[in-house]
Amino acid sequence: MTLLQWKDQYSLGNEALDHEHKELIRLINAVHGEIERESEEDNQARILGGLSEILNAVSAHFALEEKEMQALAYREFPTHKADHEKLLDEICDLIETVEETAVRDIREGLSALLEAWFSIHFQTFDRDFHLAIRPSN
Ligand SMILES: [Fe+2]
Ligand SMILES: [Fe+2]
């Protein structure tokens, strides 16, 4: 089952940022698929690999988004950036948790955590940025 689904209404009207959001959704869904796979084999390494891919992708994505916000002298830049930093801390904490705990003990809730981690920021801070730069939408 897919965890996150791209919707056209998510579009920020910026091709590069939209592309990165879609890529993040793809990476999160891949990790979710791995979490759901209840195999005997330990898939902790693959989950950790997927989470570190997310960390790399999201770091690059935040840098681009912050550059766009600065270029447009976006008023909410400092609070938006602060939330990016909080999200980076959270994904690092999540990686640590998976490193220290057997996946079978945390399977439940792990995907939900990942889903919330991505979609809350996306549907609040990123949407506000979108509305500010495209006030007619
Ligand atoms: Fe953002
Ligand atoms: Fe974003």
Side-chain angles (χ1 to χ4, degrees), residues 1-5 28-34 36 111:
M1 196 190 73
T2 308
L3 186 68
L4 292 163
Q5 207 117 39
I28 290 170
N29 283 331
V31 172
H32 167 66
E34 201 59 62
E36 291 257 287
S111 287

Side-chain angles (χ1 to χ4, degrees), residues 21 61 65 121 126:
H21 280 158
H61 169 66
E65 218 174 71
H121 177 87
D126 284 357

